[in-house]
Tab-separated table of all heavy atoms in Angstrom:
chain	number	residue	atom	x	y	z
A	90	GLU	N	-5.571	-67.280	-71.378
A	90	GLU	CA	-5.472	-67.250	-72.825
A	90	GLU	C	-5.038	-65.879	-73.344
A	90	GLU	O	-4.225	-65.785	-74.241
A	90	GLU	CB	-6.866	-67.593	-73.353
A	90	GLU	CG	-6.943	-68.008	-74.778
A	90	GLU	CD	-8.384	-68.358	-75.144
A	90	GLU	OE1	-9.255	-68.380	-74.244
A	90	GLU	OE2	-8.631	-68.596	-76.320
A	92	ARG	N	-3.247	-63.830	-72.050
A	92	ARG	CA	-1.910	-63.541	-71.509
A	92	ARG	C	-1.935	-62.570	-70.351
A	92	ARG	O	-1.407	-62.828	-69.315
A	92	ARG	CB	-0.956	-63.037	-72.595
A	92	ARG	CG	-0.813	-64.114	-73.635
A	92	ARG	CD	0.211	-63.835	-74.679
A	92	ARG	NE	0.165	-64.902	-75.649
A	92	ARG	CZ	0.037	-64.744	-76.935
A	92	ARG	NH1	-0.005	-63.537	-77.445
A	92	ARG	NH2	-0.024	-65.778	-77.731
A	144	SER	N	6.511	-57.976	-77.661
A	144	SER	CA	5.846	-58.692	-78.750
A	144	SER	C	5.002	-59.812	-78.158
A	144	SER	O	5.152	-60.169	-76.981
A	144	SER	CB	6.889	-59.288	-79.688
A	144	SER	OG	7.553	-60.347	-79.030
A	145	GLY	N	4.129	-60.383	-78.971
A	145	GLY	CA	3.256	-61.455	-78.489
A	145	GLY	C	4.024	-62.606	-77.861
A	145	GLY	O	3.660	-63.103	-76.797
A	146	GLY	N	5.098	-63.025	-78.527
A	146	GLY	CA	5.895	-64.138	-78.016
A	146	GLY	C	6.549	-63.798	-76.691
A	146	GLY	O	6.539	-64.599	-75.755
A	149	GLN	N	4.090	-63.880	-73.927
A	149	GLN	CA	3.787	-65.239	-73.491
A	149	GLN	C	4.897	-65.762	-72.570
A	149	GLN	O	4.624	-66.378	-71.548
A	149	GLN	CB	3.612	-66.155	-74.706
A	149	GLN	CG	3.049	-67.513	-74.373
A	149	GLN	CD	1.703	-67.436	-73.657
A	149	GLN	OE1	1.634	-67.457	-72.445
A	149	GLN	NE2	0.635	-67.321	-74.426
A	168	GLU	N	-3.983	-72.249	-73.900
A	168	GLU	CA	-3.587	-71.965	-75.284
A	168	GLU	C	-2.341	-71.084	-75.403
A	168	GLU	O	-2.393	-69.984	-75.950
A	168	GLU	CB	-4.753	-71.298	-76.036
A	168	GLU	CG	-5.973	-72.192	-75.994
A	168	GLU	CD	-6.819	-72.111	-77.246
A	168	GLU	OE1	-6.327	-71.560	-78.253
A	168	GLU	OE2	-7.942	-72.627	-77.213
A	169	PRO	N	-1.216	-71.592	-74.933
A	169	PRO	CA	-0.011	-70.760	-74.932
A	169	PRO	C	0.534	-70.451	-76.322
A	169	PRO	O	1.250	-69.467	-76.484
A	169	PRO	CB	0.993	-71.605	-74.138
A	169	PRO	CG	0.530	-73.005	-74.275
A	169	PRO	CD	-0.960	-72.922	-74.338
A	170	THR	N	0.206	-71.259	-77.307
A	170	THR	CA	0.824	-71.033	-78.623
A	170	THR	C	-0.077	-70.255	-79.565
A	170	THR	O	0.305	-70.009	-80.707
A	170	THR	CB	1.182	-72.373	-79.302
A	170	THR	OG1	-0.031	-73.065	-79.608
A	170	THR	CG2	2.048	-73.233	-78.415
A	171	GLU	N	-1.255	-69.865	-79.070
A	171	GLU	CA	-2.194	-69.175	-79.941
A	171	GLU	C	-1.582	-67.902	-80.520
A	171	GLU	O	-1.078	-67.046	-79.794
A	171	GLU	CB	-3.441	-68.806	-79.139
A	171	GLU	CG	-4.616	-68.467	-80.018
A	171	GLU	CD	-5.775	-67.911	-79.207
A	171	GLU	OE1	-5.561	-67.515	-78.050
A	171	GLU	OE2	-6.882	-67.878	-79.747
A	172	GLY	N	-1.594	-67.795	-81.825
A	172	GLY	CA	-1.123	-66.583	-82.485
A	172	GLY	C	0.389	-66.423	-82.536
A	172	GLY	O	0.873	-65.362	-82.906
A	173	LEU	N	1.128	-67.456	-82.148
A	173	LEU	CA	2.586	-67.334	-82.199
A	173	LEU	C	3.136	-67.955	-83.487
A	173	LEU	O	2.555	-68.884	-84.045
A	173	LEU	CB	3.230	-68.026	-80.997
A	173	LEU	CG	2.885	-67.472	-79.624
A	173	LEU	CD1	3.727	-68.161	-78.561
A	173	LEU	CD2	3.093	-65.970	-79.550
A	174	MET	N	4.300	-67.475	-83.920
A	174	MET	CA	4.876	-68.058	-85.133
A	174	MET	C	5.504	-69.419	-84.809
A	174	MET	O	5.877	-69.685	-83.674
A	174	MET	CB	5.888	-67.110	-85.756
A	174	MET	CG	6.939	-66.592	-84.833
A	174	MET	SD	7.878	-65.344	-85.727
A	174	MET	CE	9.351	-65.291	-84.758
A	175	PRO	N	5.610	-70.296	-85.829
A	175	PRO	CA	5.988	-71.696	-85.603
A	175	PRO	C	7.245	-71.892	-84.760
A	175	PRO	O	7.291	-72.774	-83.901
A	175	PRO	CB	6.209	-72.225	-87.025
A	175	PRO	CG	5.344	-71.385	-87.876
A	175	PRO	CD	5.318	-70.032	-87.240
A	177	LEU	N	8.369	-70.074	-82.379
A	177	LEU	CA	8.060	-69.843	-80.974
A	177	LEU	C	7.184	-70.951	-80.413
A	177	LEU	O	7.283	-71.291	-79.236
A	177	LEU	CB	7.351	-68.493	-80.810
A	177	LEU	CG	8.255	-67.267	-80.917
A	177	LEU	CD1	7.422	-65.997	-80.940
A	177	LEU	CD2	9.237	-67.222	-79.747
A	178	VAL	N	6.338	-71.529	-81.255
A	178	VAL	CA	5.481	-72.627	-80.811
A	178	VAL	C	6.347	-73.765	-80.280
A	178	VAL	O	6.112	-74.298	-79.202
A	178	VAL	CB	4.583	-73.111	-81.972
A	178	VAL	CG1	3.855	-74.396	-81.590
A	178	VAL	CG2	3.580	-72.032	-82.357
A	199	GLU	N	-4.883	-76.692	-75.261
A	199	GLU	CA	-4.107	-76.389	-76.468
A	199	GLU	C	-4.858	-76.837	-77.716
A	199	GLU	O	-5.508	-77.879	-77.716
A	199	GLU	CB	-2.740	-77.094	-76.369
A	199	GLU	CG	-1.765	-76.818	-77.480
A	199	GLU	CD	-1.490	-75.343	-77.711
A	199	GLU	OE1	-0.896	-74.710	-76.846
A	199	GLU	OE2	-1.869	-74.822	-78.787
A	200	GLN	N	-4.770	-76.028	-78.761
A	200	GLN	CA	-5.414	-76.374	-80.019
A	200	GLN	C	-4.439	-77.034	-80.993
A	200	GLN	O	-4.842	-77.637	-81.973
A	200	GLN	CB	-5.985	-75.106	-80.701
A	200	GLN	CG	-7.058	-74.398	-79.910
A	200	GLN	CD	-8.440	-74.970	-80.174
A	200	GLN	OE1	-8.579	-76.040	-80.754
A	200	GLN	NE2	-9.462	-74.260	-79.719
Side-chain angles (χ1 to χ4, degrees):
Chain A
E90 197 178 354
R92 299 187 184 127
S144 70
Q149 191 57 266
E168 303 214 14
T170 67
E171 197 188 16
L173 298 187
M174 51 187 200
L177 284 172
V178 171
E199 184 54 67
Q200 298 274 13

